[in-house]
Amino acid sequence: MKNPPKGMWYKSSRSDGGNACVEVCHTAAATLVRDTKDNGRGPILEFPADVWTDFIDSGIWKC
């Protein structure tokens, strides 16, 4: 798997082509998540780096 960019917003690979899109930004301390259709003006969820890693490693998000 390719390493995601650090400190830059990018569209999640799990987003579909419709309105269910999220953007993700990884920093040294946290992963930030926001709704794409809000054009960066909506709320941002912040997850500590270790919590985000546990979430990804859990596989619970896979359909």
Side-chain angles (χ1 to χ4, degrees):
M1 176 182 225
K2 183 179 169 184
N3 287 334
K6 296 281 185 193
M8 295 175 48
W9 288 100
Y10 67 96
K11 186 175 172 182
S12 168
S13 62
R14 301 291 295 179
S15 294
D16 66 18
N19 289 330
C21 300
V22 297
E23 294 176 317
V24 180
C25 179
H26 300 282
T27 69
T31 294
L32 311 173
V33 180
R34 67 184 182 189
D35 190 335
T36 301
K37 68 181 171 275
D38 287 335
N39 297 318
R41 293 185 302 262
I44 296 173
L45 302 175
E46 182 175 338
F47 301 93
D50 60 333
V51 172
W52 184 260
T53 299
D54 289 346
F55 168 68
I56 294 301
D57 290 346
S58 75
I60 196 166
W61 52 271
K62 293 180 183 180
C63 297

